[in-house]
Amino acid sequence: MPKPFQFNASDVKVEMRETVFQGFFRMDKLWLTHPRFDGRDMPVFSRELFIRGDATCVLPYDPGRDEVVLLEQFRLGALGRNQSPWLLELVAGMNEDGESPEEVAQREGQEEAGLSFSRLDKICDYLVSPGGTTEMIHLYCGQISSAEAGGVFGMEHEHEDILSHVVSADECFAMIADGRINNAAAIIAIQWLQLNRERLRREWQA
């Protein structure tokens, strides 16, 4: 049996590329071809690609109080579904040029929740939806004190309106199980916390 990853980026031939939309986000159209697993070449085909920068997301966790901080805000992409478009999410922000994910985490922690992270543990990097967008998420769990957390935050000039909630870890896990939290970054991070909770409580309080 062949092993995975027999092809790489150099095997893709882009015949033409054009920007078809440039606004808050950008959309490109590409005409391309690549080898097939059966040894033939794929006929030239076209795809639209949503060009979006990388982002950093952080699950704030207080190991002493066993609490997390979740942010509630309006999300246009959830409008029109059988649920509220106000979602419970992580601290998150777009990576600016020259910024490390850790720097983004600290900046967004302050802007969105008034939090400083005394420690950041890397969870993973993942592609959001590689069939149609370039975005990569850098995902972390960050150590905080939740004693004074909570309240309304956000950058008004960026049209942010964010309500910060302090939630027990057990309640957070329950919201994953019953679907009240249904966005990918939060699901991945909270499930990671379920697997690593006791280790974090032991190591972060040492």
Side-chain angles (χ1 to χ4, degrees):
M1 291 291 290
K3 294 182 178 180
F5 308 119
Q6 59 184 293
F7 302 129
N8 57 47
S10 66
D11 292 302
V12 181
K13 184 178 181 182
V14 178
E15 301 283 352
M16 188 168 69
R17 179 172 187 154
E18 67 172 303
T19 298
V20 295
F21 177 79
Q22 180 70 66
F24 187 74
F25 297 116
R26 178 178 131 207
M27 182 79 72
D28 284 4
K29 186 170 185 177
L30 288 78
W31 288 260
L32 63 154
T33 181
H34 60 74
R36 293 167 53 112
F37 293 119
D38 63 9
R40 296 181 293 153
D41 285 335
M42 186 73 74
V44 175
F45 63 99
S46 65
R47 289 288 185 272
E48 287 76 34
L49 183 63
F50 182 25
I51 310 298
R52 183 179 167 95
D54 292 354
T56 296
C57 300
V58 189
L59 175 64
Y61 177 58
D62 183 330
R65 299 167 68 94
D66 198 28
E67 293 176 334
V68 303
V69 173
L70 297 173
L71 308 185
E72 184 178 4
Q73 58 186 314
F74 172 76
R75 291 304 193 192
L76 180 60
L79 193 63
R81 297 192 176 273
N82 189 28
Q83 66 172 79
S84 171
W86 276 261
L87 306 184
L88 286 176
E89 302 179 327
L90 310 183
V91 167
M94 301 300 296
N95 296 9
E96 303 293 342
D97 289 342
E99 255 187 329
S100 70
E102 292 81 7
E103 289 170 334
V104 179
Q106 295 291 0
R107 169 170 54 79
E108 294 297 330
Q110 283 292 327
E111 291 179 3
E112 295 193 337
L115 298 173
S116 295
F117 300 109
S118 56
R119 177 168 174 165
L120 288 165
D121 275 23
K122 183 68 170 286
I123 296 175
C124 67
D125 298 327
Y126 72 91
L127 290 163
V128 173
S129 184
T133 181
T134 59
E135 185 177 14
M136 175 86 79
I137 295 291
H138 304 277
L139 192 57
Y140 292 83
C141 187
Q143 183 177 2
I144 58 155
S145 169
S146 62
E148 304 296 326
V152 177
F153 297 90
M155 305 295 285
E156 193 162 330
H157 69 276
E158 295 180 5
H159 304 102
E160 291 181 332
D161 180 44
I162 299 168
L163 181 59
S164 174
H165 298 272
V166 179
V167 181
S168 72
D170 285 334
E171 176 64 13
C172 192
F173 302 153
M175 287 193 283
I176 293 291
D178 64 22
R180 281 176 287 168
I181 295 175
N182 66 347
N183 60 91
I187 291 171
I188 295 168
I190 292 167
Q191 289 182 334
W192 181 90
L193 179 61
Q194 282 186 286
L195 294 173
N196 291 274
R197 177 192 197 179
E198 295 309 316
R199 176 182 65 82
L200 294 183
R201 299 196 75 187
R202 185 172 62 250
E203 293 179 1
W204 285 8
Q205 297 184 97

